[in-house]
Amino acid sequence: MTASRPGAGPAGAEPAGAGPPGAEPPGAAPPHPAAGHPGMPTYLGMPSFPAAAKTAVADSQLRANLAHATHTIRAKRAAAVAELSDWEQLRAAAKAIKDHTLAHLDTYLLRLEANVTGAGGHVHWAADADEANAIVAGLVRAAGADGIVKVKSMATQETGLNEALAAGGIGALETDLAELIVQLGHDRPSHILVPAIHKNRAEIREIFRREMPGAPAQLTDDPAALAAAARAHLRQAFLSAQVGVSGANFAIAETGSLVVVESEGNGRMCVTLPRTLISVVGIEKVLPSWRDLEVFLALLPRSSTAERMNPYTSTWTGITPGDGPEDFHLVLLDNGRTAALADRTGRQALRCIRCSACLNVCPVYERTGGHAYGSPYPGPIGAIISPQLRGLGSPADSSLPYASTLCGACYDVCPVAINIPEALVHLRAKVVEAKRDKPFSPERAVFGLSGRVLRSPRLLAAAQRAAARSGRLVARSGRIRRLPPPLSGWTETRDVPAPPAESFRAWWARTRGTRS
Ligand code: SF4
């Protein structure tokens, strides 16, 4: 065991995209396919959400792709959920199980560790992303490999594993179709479940033609043709891989078993074919027992892919001689989760099962897409989980709690009943509190001045007279269409009604003969 063990209170693999694996005759072993893939860009130094969103909302192709995809998934999910008369009871049960587990996280994590170890696996504790990446790199080198095949994993996106391995000369090949599209396009995922949701079929065909070794010259944008090209590209990698890396959707403390839920079957190839399997799993993914899993396997497929039952659910417990990997390592990742657990309101974000239902109903996500969130976790859940895992120190993280209309659609669809609007308001309060420590804040100065004026009838009357006079100079037909900075932020998207020539108080004093 390495690193620190729990005192309290992680992310995993999710299903995505489409594209079943198929047959590919093994030929002479080529270089490891991962060797040619550079890591994905990291999220360091991202601008604030409004700055990043400005570019996104100006991209009409992106908005069309997003609107089509989110509306389709949203409608299918609603129909799948409506089939179950006990959906709300399942939702309440999931919330209760997660809350109980989070309240006793240390107990369940130690039980998980004991049972993984008892089944022949090894457990490593990683306090942060760097530690997790170093553990994985060390294990890959110890296995004598220079590349890995990966199951789709939010936890390893969060830690920037691909970039860290690339820096050490280790290639990482994404095997989920949508993740592969993103990787080949030198892009970032923009959706938890469908990472390439911002790309349409024609764009994907161009990426494959340009970046995929061996892609047919006459490749069309037919989904079956695209899936077949990806299948051929991946097959040799599966057969030659020495090390597979996964996340996990759930970790069962009762037996030390891991569960990966996916749609394509590529994940199953990664967790069964290589000799060494490494699973990087957030500490909040633990569940006490198999009985608890039953509830989540009912909720997750309908919430994510609108399926009644998940097509590929892989489970494994340690190692089994002659069957699957000979060496299994579980890396339990904290990376800010313990801090989130200490926050009474914010901790509910740790219930998330990464179904992405909240993204598909969010009016903000639908217009901006996922890149503007500056994190592997976009949409409403990203707006509350990223600032808790990374802190509120950066422009991106301090702006994320404001990336919402607070309409509550995310709360309504969340299968684990995370009250995202409540957490957003809570985090906004923290952002404001953090500004109190700064010697100067424009927001504080404006509100301080407003407070002084509103407390004084004399100053208020003077301000109203000044506003009426200056309004007459710039207003046209009773509207002000352009104001100088910093007020130009308002008039960029809406007009301001011109201040009336006479305030109510002045009118009252004039017509009733009393002092204003
Ligand atoms: S917050 Fe809820 S709806 Fe959103 S991804 Fe997590 S579990 Fe799904």
Side-chain angles (χ1 to χ4, degrees), residues 352-358 381 414-416 418 420:
C352 177
I353 55 172
R354 312 281 191 258
C355 72
S356 78
C358 58
I381 182 60
C414 179
V416 285
I418 299 173
I420 294 176

Side-chain angles (χ1 to χ4, degrees), residues 406-429:
L406 302 181
C407 70
C410 48
Y411 182 25
D412 291 345
V413 297
C414 179
V416 285
I418 299 173
N419 190 336
I420 294 176
E422 179 189 46
L424 286 167
V425 172
H426 172 70
L427 289 168
R428 289 180 188 186

